[in-house]
Amino acid sequence: MLHPIERLPEDWAETLARWGEPRYRAAQVFKWIHARGVLDPDAMTDLPKRLRARLAEEGLQPTMEVALHQRAEDGTQKLLLQMGDGRAVESVLIPQGSSGAEDPVGGDEPEDGRPVTQCISTQVGCAMGCVFCASGMAGLKRQMSAAEIVSQLFVGRGLVDEGDRLRNVVFMGMGEPLHNYDAVSRALRLMFHPDGLGFGTRRVTVSTSGLIPEIARLGEDFGGKVQLAISLHVPDDERRSALMPINRRYPLSDLMKALRRYPLPKRRRITIEYTLVAGYNDELADADRLADLLKGMSAKVNLIPMNPVPDNPLGPPPWSVVEAFHDRLWDRGVSTFVRRRKGDDIAAACGQLVLAGEKKKIRVKVPVVS
Ligand code: SAH
Ligand code: SF4
Protein backbone atom coordinates (compact mmCIF):
# COMPACT_ATOMS: atom_id res chain seq x y z
CA MET A 1 0.00 0.00 0.00
CA LEU A 2 1.15 3.51 -0.75
CA HIS A 3 2.37 5.55 2.19
CA PRO A 4 0.04 8.56 2.64
CA ILE A 5 2.91 10.95 1.83
CA GLU A 6 3.49 9.31 -1.55
CA ARG A 7 -0.13 9.45 -2.70
CA LEU A 8 -0.85 11.75 -5.62
CA PRO A 9 -4.25 13.50 -5.70
CA GLU A 10 -5.59 10.70 -7.94
CA ASP A 11 -4.48 8.12 -5.35
CA TRP A 12 -6.21 10.11 -2.61
CA ALA A 13 -9.34 10.19 -4.75
CA GLU A 14 -9.36 6.39 -4.71
CA THR A 15 -8.68 6.21 -0.98
CA LEU A 16 -11.41 8.74 -0.26
CA ALA A 17 -13.91 6.95 -2.51
CA ARG A 18 -13.33 3.83 -0.40
CA TRP A 19 -14.02 5.87 2.72
CA GLY A 20 -17.20 7.31 1.17
CA GLU A 21 -15.79 10.84 0.99
CA PRO A 22 -16.31 13.19 -1.97
CA ARG A 23 -13.61 13.32 -4.64
CA TYR A 24 -12.83 17.02 -4.28
CA ARG A 25 -11.40 16.39 -0.84
CA ALA A 26 -8.46 14.63 -2.51
CA ALA A 27 -6.92 17.94 -3.62
CA GLN A 28 -7.48 19.40 -0.15
CA VAL A 29 -5.70 16.53 1.62
CA PHE A 30 -2.84 16.57 -0.92
CA LYS A 31 -2.40 20.32 -0.48
CA TRP A 32 -2.23 20.09 3.29
CA ILE A 33 0.52 17.50 3.12
CA HIS A 34 2.57 18.74 0.16
CA ALA A 35 1.98 22.47 -0.21
CA ARG A 36 1.72 23.29 3.49
CA GLY A 37 3.75 20.46 4.97
CA VAL A 38 1.08 19.65 7.55
CA LEU A 39 0.88 16.05 8.76
CA ASP A 40 -1.35 16.53 11.78
CA PRO A 41 -4.95 15.89 10.66
CA ASP A 42 -6.25 18.08 13.50
CA ALA A 43 -4.58 21.09 11.86
CA MET A 44 -6.36 20.45 8.55
CA THR A 45 -9.06 22.90 9.44
CA ASP A 46 -11.14 22.79 6.28
CA LEU A 47 -11.75 19.03 6.54
CA PRO A 48 -14.73 17.58 8.40
CA LYS A 49 -14.04 15.96 11.79
CA ARG A 50 -14.95 12.52 10.51
CA LEU A 51 -12.35 12.68 7.74
CA ARG A 52 -9.70 14.03 10.09
CA ALA A 53 -10.28 11.10 12.41
CA ARG A 54 -9.97 8.67 9.50
CA LEU A 55 -6.71 10.32 8.44
CA ALA A 56 -5.40 10.03 11.97
CA GLU A 57 -6.10 6.28 11.85
CA GLU A 58 -4.18 6.11 8.59
CA GLY A 59 -1.07 7.28 10.45
CA LEU A 60 0.34 10.44 8.88
CA GLN A 61 3.76 10.13 10.49
CA PRO A 62 6.87 11.92 9.21
CA THR A 63 9.22 9.42 7.56
CA MET A 64 12.43 10.94 8.90
CA GLU A 65 13.95 13.21 11.47
CA VAL A 66 17.05 15.37 11.51
CA ALA A 67 19.72 13.40 13.37
CA LEU A 68 22.51 15.85 12.66
CA HIS A 69 22.44 19.42 11.42
CA GLN A 70 25.60 21.27 10.45
CA ARG A 71 25.85 24.77 9.19
CA ALA A 72 28.84 26.16 7.33
CA GLU A 73 29.95 29.77 7.41
CA ASP A 74 28.81 30.27 3.84
CA GLY A 75 25.25 29.28 4.77
CA THR A 76 25.38 25.72 3.43
CA GLN A 77 23.48 23.31 5.67
CA LYS A 78 24.26 19.63 5.78
CA LEU A 79 21.70 17.24 7.20
CA LEU A 80 21.81 13.67 8.36
CA LEU A 81 18.27 12.34 8.12
CA GLN A 82 17.31 9.27 10.06
CA MET A 83 14.45 7.10 8.84
CA GLY A 84 12.06 4.76 10.64
CA ASP A 85 14.37 1.74 10.59
CA GLY A 86 17.31 3.75 11.92
CA ARG A 87 19.08 4.03 8.53
CA ALA A 88 20.26 7.52 7.63
CA VAL A 89 20.93 9.48 4.46
CA GLU A 90 22.43 12.88 3.76
CA SER A 91 20.97 15.97 2.22
CA VAL A 92 22.48 19.43 1.72
CA LEU A 93 20.93 22.88 1.36
CA ILE A 94 23.00 25.30 -0.70
CA PRO A 95 21.92 28.94 -0.87
CA GLN A 96 22.90 30.85 -3.96
CA GLY A 97 25.18 33.38 -2.35
CA SER A 98 27.83 35.77 -3.50
CA SER A 99 30.00 32.77 -4.19
CA GLY A 100 27.00 30.52 -4.32
CA ALA A 101 25.61 27.59 -6.18
CA GLU A 102 24.38 27.96 -9.67
CA ASP A 103 20.76 28.82 -10.25
CA PRO A 104 20.10 26.82 -13.39
CA VAL A 105 17.27 29.05 -14.54
CA GLY A 106 18.05 32.45 -13.07
CA GLY A 107 15.88 35.51 -13.41
CA ASP A 108 14.77 35.75 -9.81
CA GLU A 109 13.08 38.90 -8.64
CA PRO A 110 14.95 40.27 -5.62
CA GLU A 111 11.84 39.95 -3.45
CA ASP A 112 11.87 36.21 -4.10
CA GLY A 113 14.79 35.87 -1.69
CA ARG A 114 17.91 33.84 -2.32
CA PRO A 115 17.22 30.69 -4.30
CA VAL A 116 18.33 27.58 -2.45
CA THR A 117 19.30 24.27 -4.05
CA GLN A 118 18.72 21.05 -2.14
CA CYS A 119 20.74 17.95 -2.86
CA ILE A 120 18.78 14.80 -2.02
CA SER A 121 19.43 11.06 -1.68
CA THR A 122 17.56 8.16 -3.28
CA GLN A 123 19.13 5.08 -1.73
CA VAL A 124 20.94 4.15 1.45
CA GLY A 125 24.36 3.42 -0.05
CA CYS A 126 24.69 2.49 -3.69
CA ALA A 127 25.16 -0.72 -5.69
CA MET A 128 27.18 0.84 -8.53
CA GLY A 129 30.55 0.64 -6.80
CA CYS A 130 32.31 3.60 -8.42
CA VAL A 131 35.78 3.51 -6.90
CA PHE A 132 36.06 7.23 -6.10
CA CYS A 133 32.73 7.40 -4.26
CA ALA A 134 32.02 6.99 -0.55
CA SER A 135 28.48 5.69 -1.17
CA GLY A 136 29.78 3.17 -3.67
CA MET A 137 32.32 1.79 -1.23
CA ALA A 138 29.59 0.91 1.25
CA GLY A 139 27.35 -1.00 -1.19
CA LEU A 140 23.56 -0.79 -1.32
CA LYS A 141 21.85 -1.04 2.07
CA ARG A 142 18.31 -0.39 0.89
CA GLN A 143 16.11 1.61 -1.46
CA MET A 144 14.34 4.74 -0.26
CA SER A 145 10.59 5.02 -0.78
CA ALA A 146 9.00 7.90 -2.69
CA ALA A 147 7.64 9.13 0.65
CA GLU A 148 11.17 9.24 2.08
CA ILE A 149 12.60 10.91 -1.03
CA VAL A 150 10.11 13.82 -0.96
CA SER A 151 10.23 14.05 2.83
CA GLN A 152 13.78 15.36 2.46
CA LEU A 153 12.25 18.39 0.74
CA PHE A 154 9.71 18.92 3.52
CA VAL A 155 12.63 19.05 5.97
CA GLY A 156 14.67 21.29 3.66
CA ARG A 157 11.81 23.69 3.06
CA GLY A 158 11.49 24.14 6.80
CA LEU A 159 15.18 24.89 7.28
CA VAL A 160 15.91 27.48 4.59
CA ASP A 161 16.74 30.87 6.07
CA GLU A 162 14.04 33.43 6.36
CA GLY A 163 13.47 35.18 3.06
CA ASP A 164 15.20 32.41 1.12
CA ARG A 165 13.32 29.98 -1.03
CA LEU A 166 13.85 26.33 -1.86
CA ARG A 167 14.02 26.59 -5.61
CA ASN A 168 16.12 23.82 -7.14
CA VAL A 169 16.59 20.14 -6.44
CA VAL A 170 19.48 17.96 -7.51
CA PHE A 171 19.39 14.16 -7.17
CA MET A 172 23.09 14.04 -6.31
CA GLY A 173 23.08 12.74 -2.77
CA MET A 174 23.53 9.11 -1.83
CA GLY A 175 22.47 6.47 -4.31
CA GLU A 176 21.86 5.97 -8.01
CA PRO A 177 18.42 7.52 -8.69
CA LEU A 178 17.74 5.44 -11.79
CA HIS A 179 18.44 2.23 -9.86
CA ASN A 180 15.35 3.10 -7.83
CA TYR A 181 13.29 4.20 -10.80
CA ASP A 182 9.74 3.64 -9.58
CA ALA A 183 10.20 5.51 -6.31
CA VAL A 184 12.16 8.30 -8.00
CA SER A 185 9.62 8.81 -10.77
CA ARG A 186 6.81 8.92 -8.23
CA ALA A 187 8.80 11.40 -6.15
CA LEU A 188 9.26 13.54 -9.27
CA ARG A 189 5.53 13.52 -10.00
CA LEU A 190 4.84 14.51 -6.40
CA MET A 191 7.39 17.35 -6.55
CA PHE A 192 6.11 18.74 -9.85
CA HIS A 193 2.46 18.72 -8.85
CA PRO A 194 1.16 22.31 -8.82
CA ASP A 195 -1.01 21.61 -5.75
CA GLY A 196 2.04 20.32 -3.89
CA LEU A 197 5.66 21.41 -3.75
CA GLY A 198 5.22 22.78 -7.27
CA PHE A 199 8.80 22.57 -8.56
CA GLY A 200 9.33 23.46 -12.21
CA THR A 201 10.78 20.61 -14.26
CA ARG A 202 13.73 22.79 -15.30
CA ARG A 203 14.63 23.19 -11.65
CA VAL A 204 15.03 19.49 -10.93
CA THR A 205 18.15 17.61 -12.04
CA VAL A 206 18.52 13.84 -11.93
CA SER A 207 22.12 12.66 -11.95
CA THR A 208 22.96 9.16 -13.14
CA SER A 209 26.04 7.02 -13.69
CA GLY A 210 24.43 5.95 -16.97
CA LEU A 211 21.65 3.36 -16.69
CA ILE A 212 20.58 3.37 -20.32
CA PRO A 213 17.10 1.76 -20.18
CA GLU A 214 16.06 4.05 -17.34
CA ILE A 215 17.41 7.15 -19.09
CA ALA A 216 15.09 6.29 -21.99
CA ARG A 217 12.22 5.67 -19.58
CA LEU A 218 12.75 8.98 -17.82
CA GLY A 219 12.79 10.74 -21.17
CA GLU A 220 9.53 9.08 -22.16
CA ASP A 221 7.74 9.45 -18.84
CA PHE A 222 8.54 13.16 -18.47
CA GLY A 223 8.84 14.18 -22.11
CA GLY A 224 12.52 15.05 -21.66
CA LYS A 225 11.67 17.86 -19.27
CA VAL A 226 13.59 16.56 -16.27
CA GLN A 227 17.12 17.96 -16.35
CA LEU A 228 19.62 15.18 -16.86
CA ALA A 229 23.16 15.04 -15.50
CA ILE A 230 25.45 12.21 -16.56
CA SER A 231 28.44 11.08 -14.53
CA LEU A 232 30.78 10.48 -17.42
CA HIS A 233 34.14 10.97 -15.70
CA VAL A 234 36.32 9.01 -18.16
CA PRO A 235 36.20 9.35 -21.95
CA ASP A 236 37.17 5.78 -22.91
CA ASP A 237 35.67 2.39 -22.10
CA GLU A 238 38.66 0.61 -20.64
CA ARG A 239 39.46 3.19 -17.99
CA ARG A 240 35.83 4.09 -17.42
CA SER A 241 35.03 0.47 -16.61
CA ALA A 242 37.86 0.43 -14.09
CA LEU A 243 36.50 3.48 -12.31
CA MET A 244 32.79 2.82 -12.85
CA PRO A 245 31.82 -0.87 -13.09
CA ILE A 246 28.43 0.08 -14.64
CA ASN A 247 30.35 0.89 -17.85
CA ARG A 248 30.86 -2.84 -18.48
CA ARG A 249 27.12 -3.21 -18.80
CA TYR A 250 26.42 0.09 -20.56
CA PRO A 251 29.51 1.16 -22.50
CA LEU A 252 30.20 4.71 -23.59
CA SER A 253 29.13 4.44 -27.23
CA ASP A 254 25.70 3.13 -26.17
CA LEU A 255 25.45 5.75 -23.45
CA MET A 256 26.22 8.56 -25.88
CA LYS A 257 23.56 7.22 -28.25
CA ALA A 258 21.03 7.17 -25.41
CA LEU A 259 21.88 10.79 -24.55
CA ARG A 260 21.44 11.89 -28.14
CA ARG A 261 18.03 10.23 -28.13
CA TYR A 262 16.92 11.94 -24.90
CA PRO A 263 14.00 14.18 -25.93
CA LEU A 264 15.65 17.37 -24.67
CA PRO A 265 13.53 20.49 -25.09
CA LYS A 266 15.01 23.25 -27.26
CA ARG A 267 17.72 25.39 -25.69
CA ARG A 268 18.27 22.94 -22.85
CA ARG A 269 21.51 21.10 -22.28
CA ILE A 270 22.48 17.83 -20.70
CA THR A 271 25.03 18.26 -17.91
CA ILE A 272 28.13 16.10 -18.17
CA GLU A 273 29.78 15.57 -14.81
CA TYR A 274 33.50 14.96 -14.93
CA THR A 275 35.28 14.26 -11.65
CA LEU A 276 38.97 14.94 -12.11
CA VAL A 277 41.11 12.25 -10.49
CA ALA A 278 44.84 13.01 -10.30
CA GLY A 279 46.88 11.03 -12.79
CA TYR A 280 43.86 9.11 -14.03
CA ASN A 281 41.61 11.17 -16.28
CA ASP A 282 43.14 14.63 -16.11
CA GLU A 283 45.36 14.83 -19.19
CA LEU A 284 44.73 17.21 -22.05
CA ALA A 285 44.30 14.19 -24.33
CA ASP A 286 41.33 13.21 -22.10
CA ALA A 287 39.82 16.66 -22.55
CA ASP A 288 40.19 16.19 -26.32
CA ARG A 289 38.53 12.77 -26.21
CA LEU A 290 35.69 14.20 -24.12
CA ALA A 291 35.22 17.03 -26.60
CA ASP A 292 35.07 14.46 -29.41
CA LEU A 293 32.42 12.45 -27.58
CA LEU A 294 30.28 15.55 -27.11
CA LYS A 295 30.56 16.81 -30.66
CA GLY A 296 27.24 18.18 -31.91
CA MET A 297 25.52 17.47 -28.59
CA SER A 298 23.66 20.07 -26.56
CA ALA A 299 25.73 19.62 -23.42
CA LYS A 300 27.79 21.46 -20.84
CA VAL A 301 30.53 20.03 -18.68
CA ASN A 302 30.89 20.38 -14.93
CA LEU A 303 34.42 19.64 -13.79
CA ILE A 304 34.68 18.50 -10.19
CA PRO A 305 38.13 18.09 -8.63
CA MET A 306 37.72 14.80 -6.76
CA ASN A 307 36.75 15.18 -3.16
CA PRO A 308 39.10 12.98 -1.08
CA VAL A 309 37.39 9.98 0.53
CA PRO A 310 38.86 8.45 3.69
CA ASP A 311 40.90 5.28 3.05
CA ASN A 312 40.89 5.97 -0.68
CA PRO A 313 44.23 6.67 -2.37
CA LEU A 314 42.63 8.64 -5.23
CA GLY A 315 42.50 12.42 -5.03
CA PRO A 316 42.18 15.69 -6.93
CA PRO A 317 44.81 17.04 -9.33
CA PRO A 318 46.55 20.36 -8.61
CA TRP A 319 44.58 23.48 -9.49
CA SER A 320 46.79 24.24 -12.49
CA VAL A 321 45.79 20.90 -14.05
CA VAL A 322 42.09 21.64 -13.45
CA GLU A 323 42.49 24.99 -15.14
CA ALA A 324 44.35 23.57 -18.12
CA PHE A 325 41.67 20.89 -18.58
CA HIS A 326 38.96 23.52 -18.36
CA ASP A 327 40.69 25.80 -20.86
CA ARG A 328 41.25 22.99 -23.33
CA LEU A 329 37.56 22.12 -23.32
CA TRP A 330 36.63 25.75 -23.98
CA ASP A 331 39.20 25.85 -26.78
CA ARG A 332 37.42 22.86 -28.25
CA GLY A 333 34.12 24.74 -28.07
CA VAL A 334 32.65 22.96 -25.03
CA SER A 335 30.97 25.06 -22.32
CA THR A 336 32.75 24.04 -19.16
CA PHE A 337 32.46 25.08 -15.52
CA VAL A 338 34.45 24.15 -12.46
CA ARG A 339 32.55 23.23 -9.34
CA ARG A 340 34.11 23.55 -5.96
CA ARG A 341 32.94 22.38 -2.65
CA LYS A 342 30.84 24.65 -0.50
CA GLY A 343 30.58 24.43 3.21
CA ASP A 344 34.26 23.73 3.64
CA ASP A 345 34.11 24.29 7.36
CA ILE A 346 31.59 21.48 7.80
CA ALA A 347 33.40 18.37 8.91
CA ALA A 348 32.80 14.90 7.48
CA ALA A 349 33.62 14.36 3.85
CA CYS A 350 30.97 12.79 1.74
CA GLY A 351 32.02 11.72 -1.71
CA GLN A 352 29.19 12.86 -3.84
CA LEU A 353 27.81 15.70 -1.80
CA VAL A 354 30.76 17.72 -2.98
CA LEU A 355 28.89 17.90 -6.23
CA ALA A 356 26.23 20.02 -4.71
CA GLY A 357 29.05 22.39 -4.12
CA GLU A 358 29.64 25.81 -5.36
CA LYS A 359 30.03 26.32 -9.03
CA LYS A 360 32.47 28.83 -10.29
CA LYS A 361 32.67 30.20 -13.78
CA ILE A 362 36.30 30.79 -14.55
CA ARG A 363 35.78 32.32 -17.92
CA VAL A 364 32.86 32.76 -20.21
CA LYS A 365 32.86 32.08 -23.90
CA VAL A 366 30.02 31.72 -26.32
CA PRO A 367 28.63 28.22 -25.81
CA VAL A 368 28.53 25.83 -28.72
CA VAL A 369 25.13 25.57 -30.32
CA SER A 370 24.22 22.25 -31.82
N1 SAH B 1 24.58 8.10 -8.43
C1 SAH B 1 24.41 9.28 -9.17
C2 SAH B 1 24.11 10.49 -8.33
C3 SAH B 1 24.81 10.64 -7.02
S1 SAH B 1 26.51 10.96 -7.06
C4 SAH B 1 25.60 9.54 -10.05
O1 SAH B 1 26.59 8.87 -9.89
O2 SAH B 1 25.48 10.37 -10.94
C5 SAH B 1 26.61 12.65 -7.59
C6 SAH B 1 27.92 12.98 -8.31
O3 SAH B 1 29.02 12.99 -7.40
C7 SAH B 1 28.30 12.00 -9.41
O4 SAH B 1 28.70 12.69 -10.57
C8 SAH B 1 29.44 11.28 -8.78
O5 SAH B 1 30.23 10.66 -9.74
C9 SAH B 1 30.12 12.36 -8.01
N2 SAH B 1 31.06 11.89 -7.00
C10 SAH B 1 30.99 10.79 -6.24
N3 SAH B 1 32.04 10.72 -5.42
C11 SAH B 1 32.81 11.79 -5.67
C12 SAH B 1 34.04 12.28 -5.13
N4 SAH B 1 34.70 11.63 -4.17
N5 SAH B 1 34.52 13.43 -5.62
C13 SAH B 1 33.87 14.11 -6.57
N6 SAH B 1 32.70 13.71 -7.12
C14 SAH B 1 32.19 12.54 -6.67
FE1 SF4 C 1 26.61 5.28 -6.84
FE2 SF4 C 1 26.81 7.66 -8.04
FE3 SF4 C 1 28.53 6.90 -6.09
FE4 SF4 C 1 28.66 5.74 -8.48
S1 SF4 C 1 29.03 7.89 -8.01
S2 SF4 C 1 28.73 4.70 -6.49
S3 SF4 C 1 26.51 5.66 -9.04
S4 SF4 C 1 26.34 7.26 -5.86
Side-chain angles (χ1 to χ4, degrees), residues 157-171:
R157 182 172 54 183
L159 288 174
V160 296
D161 291 342
E162 205 171 322
D164 288 355
R165 212 172 121 207
L166 185 55
R167 216 58 208 292
N168 307 301
V169 179
V170 292
F171 284 73

Side-chain angles (χ1 to χ4, degrees), residues 126 128-130 132-133 135-136 173 175-176 209 352:
C126 183
M128 300 299 133
C130 305
F132 50 84
C133 174
S135 302
E176 165 50 57
S209 55
Q352 63 277 59

Side-chain angles (χ1 to χ4, degrees), residues 223-330:
K225 293 204 181 73
V226 176
Q227 288 288 108
L228 196 60
I230 301 294
S231 297
L232 200 138
H233 304 324
V234 193
D236 66 76
D237 277 323
E238 198 181 327
R239 286 178 309 148
R240 190 169 190 264
S241 295
L243 216 57
M244 304 176 69
I246 187 69
N247 190 71
R248 289 182 211 134
R249 186 130 141 238
Y250 301 122
L252 267 176
S253 55
D254 294 344
L255 177 59
M256 299 318 288
K257 273 190 219 140
L259 298 188
R260 287 172 200 278
R261 277 198 297 266
Y262 191 74
L264 203 64
K266 275 207 180 79
R267 285 189 291 279
R268 294 242 215 129
R269 293 186 288 185
I270 290 179
T271 302
I272 302 294
E273 293 157 281
Y274 196 100
T275 296
L276 284 161
V277 182
Y280 196 85
N281 62 355
D282 59 350
E283 286 184 14
L284 293 181
D286 294 319
D288 286 334
R289 268 185 224 114
L290 179 61
D292 289 341
L293 281 177
L294 300 179
K295 217 171 256 163
M297 240 178 86
S298 190
K300 63 168 176 171
V301 172
N302 282 344
L303 292 178
I304 315 116
M306 185 190 155
N307 187 30
V309 173
D311 301 326
N312 191 318
L314 302 175
W319 185 245
S320 58
V321 171
V322 177
E323 250 174 339
F325 199 95
H326 163 272
D327 290 352
R328 174 63 69 98
L329 284 172
W330 273 112

